[in-house]
Amino acid sequence: MAKKGLLMTENNNKIRKVKELNDAVNPLLKRQTSWFLEKFNLTYFCYQRFYNDKRHFGLFSSLKWCDFFLNHLNITSPAFDKKSFALDKAQFNPRLWPTSRCDSIVSALHNHDLWNGLNLYVKYDDYIESWQFCGTRENRENNDFYLSHTLLFKQFIIELKQTLFSKLI
């Protein structure tokens, strides 16, 4: 029983640290991303890094979603996991979000009005990066836009890595 309590404390400390980082960085993250989101009628941006050893790092434009995700859903999503297989290494791999409520994470995203999204995955030896963009339920046309303008998203990510992310990661 002591081990389980210790593990829960370690997990709570990790969650607290990610939340504290997001609280501190969120104004800067919003300044760096809002122009892009507004220009293309998007409402949400997130960067996550999933390490092979199960560690996780994330920056969320929505602190409400960050808090909910870390406290209630800090698990993997079968729907998103399925999309992250067969990735080309060190290249952007675009994947559209599932449209049906096929698991608890997708359902929770929809309950937070985070719909019609795109993940751009980049696979490295020790981790997978996930750059996430989405709109609302009404933004159904986003999926066509994502696929026909993937280069815009790649350019935005490269710029963001050179500015904001070079200071954080």
Side-chain angles (χ1 to χ4, degrees), residues 5-131:
L6 180 62
L7 182 61
M8 289 177 64
T9 302
E10 288 176 14
N11 286 340
N12 288 340
N13 286 337
K14 290 176 186 176
I15 289 170
R16 184 178 43 78
K17 286 179 182 178
V18 172
K19 286 172 62 175
E20 287 172 357
L21 174 67
N22 273 274
D23 287 342
V25 172
N26 193 264
L28 180 58
L29 180 67
K30 284 189 173 185
R31 277 196 304 276
Q32 294 282 330
T33 60
S34 63
W35 69 270
F36 186 82
L37 298 177
E38 289 169 10
K39 182 173 183 172
F40 299 111
N41 198 27
L42 302 171
T43 57
Y44 175 75
F45 168 80
C46 176
Y47 168 80
Q48 295 189 75
R49 187 179 280 189
F50 302 95
Y51 292 90
N52 295 345
D53 64 6
K54 305 298 182 200
R55 289 179 298 137
H56 170 259
F57 174 80
L59 294 175
F60 303 81
S61 68
S62 167
L63 292 176
K64 182 179 175 186
W65 173 252
C66 173
D67 186 56
F68 185 83
F69 176 80
L70 293 173
N71 283 315
H72 302 288
L73 294 173
N74 200 6
I75 56 173
T76 59
S77 162
F80 284 105
D81 282 353
K82 192 166 57 172
K83 292 178 176 290
S84 68
F85 287 113
L87 299 176
D88 292 327
K89 204 171 190 181
Q91 294 183 29
F92 288 102
N93 296 267
R95 302 290 191 270
L96 296 175
W97 285 13
T99 54
S100 63
R101 294 175 182 254
C102 48
D103 66 36
S104 59
I105 290 184
V106 176
S107 292
L109 284 164
H110 290 177
N111 290 339
H112 283 80
D113 201 23
L114 301 171
W115 292 71
N116 302 307
L118 168 74
N119 285 5
L120 284 164
Y121 294 103
V122 182
K123 182 177 183 174
Y124 298 97
D125 288 335
D126 298 329
Y127 59 89
I128 295 175
E129 288 182 322
S130 176
W131 304 84

Side-chain angles (χ1 to χ4, degrees), residues 131-147:
W131 304 84
Q132 303 162 10
F133 304 85
C134 78
T136 64
R137 184 179 194 158
E138 290 74 35
N139 299 120
R140 289 186 184 97
E141 70 282 353
N142 281 3
N143 289 344
D144 291 333
F145 175 77
Y146 297 142
L147 295 177

